[in-house]
Amino acid sequence: MATCFWLRSCGARRLGSTFPGCRLHPRAGGLVPAPGPAPGPAQLRGYAGGLAGLSAALLRTDSFVGGRWLPAAATFPVQDPASGAALGMVADCGVSEARAAVRAAYEAFCSWREVSAKERSSLLRKWYNLMIQNKDDLARIITAESGKPLKEAHGEIFYSAFFLEWFSEEARRVYGDIIYTPAKDKRALVLKQPVGVAAVITPWNFPSAMITRKVGAAVAAGCTVVVKPAEDTPFSALALAELASQAGIPPGVYNVIPCSRKNAKEVGEAICTDPLVSKISFTGSTTTGKILLHHAANSVKRVSMELGGLAPFIVFDSANVDQAVAGALASKFRNTGQTCVCSNRFLVQRGIHDAFVKAFAEAMKKNLHVGNGFEEGTTQGPLINEKAVEKVEKHVNDAVSKGATIVTGGKRHHLGKNFFEPTLLSNVTQDMLCTHEETFGPLAPVIKFDTEEEAIAIANATDVGLAGYFYSQDPAQIWRVAEQLEVGMVGVNEGLISSVECPFGGVKQSGLGREGSKYGIDEYLELKKGR
């Protein structure tokens, strides 16, 4: 089992309601800010500078297939999670549009695979440059459709663009091998070749980065892609399509087919079972991942799966409390707790437990500010929809009914139906839902433990294993625990573990394969031997 360790060193840098009049209207295949009444002072504070002045070219509503913007027979609304207001109507692609996109990708693959690695590298670099040039508009699109605080949205755009930069460089490092055989006069040659058309299905919580992490690798390898973005956040995928076109990525190499929740199942099945598709890459729930694996099995397609997690965050008695609290804030409450690597279970050793809980509660009250993502100072935006809020509420109520104590938070926020207070629970036990279901929200449940062996047993008592974190100043313990945690990525005295240079992925039912890093491109390459 390969695991990526993050060990924090001194001085390590860290990344740092309704919007009236900011609805988006379809116009010439794109979107423009809608006219509306002048907002009052409180409303203005909530969205000033949000979507006003965005480039109309980046605000697209049609599908992008074979280098063309194509409408669909129907459309579906995309909503602002902060207010519930419609942002715009987007093409609702169905099975026929999905199959057409696959055909376009396959036709493009026949020529794209022959393009030199240097040229593919150059085009990806141009795409990266355009993302950086348009970073402010791209960030505002993310905040509008996902609710993510604008500062975090800017961070995502850099993270997203860095994958294109990274894989533009990796495109020129796809090497083969020459193997000495038992026969003195013979050698074997190993080539790496692109697998073909890749079906890419991405989630809403990182609507830009989850695309470039997959597509950058695929395109660098010589593959073509059909992207089905999450129905909640299609605008980011379509904006990337516009920039890919501007960068000179050939028609059919990057295709986007947005669809509604109603059509998502059949569209996903269509692209994953199409015989012209050779590869499936998916980020999302373990349940959906298993369905897609069944689709892939019938035609034995290559798959990459980044699925659910239940990350433990362990604080040992030897830990630096202030450092652990800072890491807990970063790990738990990034994107309002809506990331697959967010800490889901806090395991704190008895000797440091009370001090940690007290400091954590104080830090939450001081540093976490709930609000509209466009509002300056907001660190906690809305959850993606009311169903997500209901799950957090269910986990809190279940825990309290079984003896947990609410230290801070614990209820819906007055700002709106999709907002929930950052919540800290103590006296949590392993029979509570929040300890064995991924919450995907701003809930931090704390379990008290006595020994290292007990903490490891609790942390590993799950069928998933994406990320894990722990804080300790004991060098021997650091190595023991890092090796014993059954996860694909470990943060050691560190709460943020994602980087384009490092492999991202999990073990057990948290997925298959790795994304990013020098290993990410291998997911889109086949080995061919010659003698």
Side-chain angles (χ1 to χ4, degrees), residues 312-316 345 347-349 430 447-461 470 477 481 484-485:
F313 188 105
I314 307 172
V315 184
F316 291 103
R345 302 166 291 157
L347 314 179
V348 184
Q349 198 158 14
Q430 294 180 66
I447 301 171
K448 187 185 297 184
F449 72 89
D450 289 303
T451 67
E452 177 184 313
E453 292 75 17
E454 180 187 2
I456 295 296
I458 295 172
N460 290 340
F470 70 93
Q477 184 177 60
V481 175
Q484 290 179 50
L485 284 177

Side-chain angles (χ1 to χ4, degrees), residues 119-136:
E119 186 174 349
R120 293 198 301 269
S121 172
S122 176
L123 291 171
L124 281 168
R125 182 72 190 201
K126 289 178 181 177
W127 196 2
Y128 158 79
N129 289 336
L130 285 168
M131 284 195 70
I132 298 301
Q133 291 170 24
N134 290 274
K135 63 184 183 299
D136 293 337

Side-chain angles (χ1 to χ4, degrees), residues 396-456:
V396 171
N397 292 340
D398 171 78
V400 171
S401 72
K402 294 174 181 175
T405 300
I406 296 175
V407 181
T408 186
K411 61 184 186 298
R412 296 188 185 217
H413 198 279
H414 64 81
L415 280 179
K417 67 178 183 178
N418 290 343
F419 292 88
F420 201 91
E421 296 177 345
T423 300
L424 177 62
L425 300 179
S426 64
N427 299 319
V428 173
T429 55
Q430 294 180 66
D431 61 332
M432 298 173 184
L433 287 176
C434 59
T435 67
H436 53 85
E437 287 184 5
E438 189 175 26
T439 302
F440 232 66
L443 170 61
V446 178
I447 301 171
K448 187 185 297 184
F449 72 89
D450 289 303
T451 67
E452 177 184 313
E453 292 75 17
E454 180 187 2
I456 295 296

Side-chain angles (χ1 to χ4, degrees), residues 17-23 34-40 42-44 46-48 80 83 85 372:
S17 311
T18 304
F19 305 161
C22 281
R23 299 184 311 279
Q43 295 169 331
L44 179 63
Y47 82 95
D80 162 23
S83 67
N372 193 293

Side-chain angles (χ1 to χ4, degrees), residues 167-337:
F167 285 114
S168 74
E169 297 161 350
E170 288 300 293
R172 302 181 70 175
R173 301 192 187 105
V174 177
Y175 305 131
D177 287 298
I178 295 178
I179 301 170
Y180 284 77
T181 69
K184 290 195 299 184
D185 60 343
K186 294 181 180 179
R187 304 290 182 267
L189 177 67
V190 177
L191 301 177
K192 291 183 178 180
Q193 296 181 315
V195 298
V197 176
V200 172
I201 302 177
T202 56
W204 50 263
N205 57 339
F206 286 88
S208 181
M210 294 303 94
I211 291 175
T212 58
R213 191 163 73 185
K214 300 171 186 295
V215 170
V219 171
C223 297
T224 58
V225 299
V226 176
V227 177
K228 191 201 84 62
E231 56 272 13
D232 294 301
T233 55
F235 291 131
S236 291
L238 296 170
L240 287 174
E242 171 62 28
L243 295 181
S245 179
Q246 291 181 23
I249 302 292
V253 172
Y254 178 78
N255 306 275
V256 183
I257 47 169
C259 69
S260 64
R261 186 170 281 105
K262 176 174 66 72
N263 285 348
K265 182 178 179 181
E266 63 181 20
V267 168
E269 182 174 355
I271 60 175
C272 290
T273 57
D274 195 302
L276 297 180
V277 170
S278 300
K279 164 79 179 185
I280 299 169
S281 181
F282 170 72
T283 295
S285 72
T286 299
T287 299
T288 302
K290 290 177 180 178
I291 293 171
L292 299 182
L293 282 169
H294 278 289
H295 293 330
N298 288 332
S299 50
V300 197
K301 300 184 191 301
R302 289 274 297 274
V303 296
S304 297
M305 296 277 163
E306 193 262 282
L307 308 177
L310 197 67
F313 188 105
I314 307 172
V315 184
F316 291 103
D317 282 343
S318 67
N320 179 305
V321 172
D322 291 338
Q323 190 181 56
V325 167
L329 282 174
S331 172
K332 174 69 257 184
F333 293 105
R334 185 166 59 121
N335 197 21
T336 319

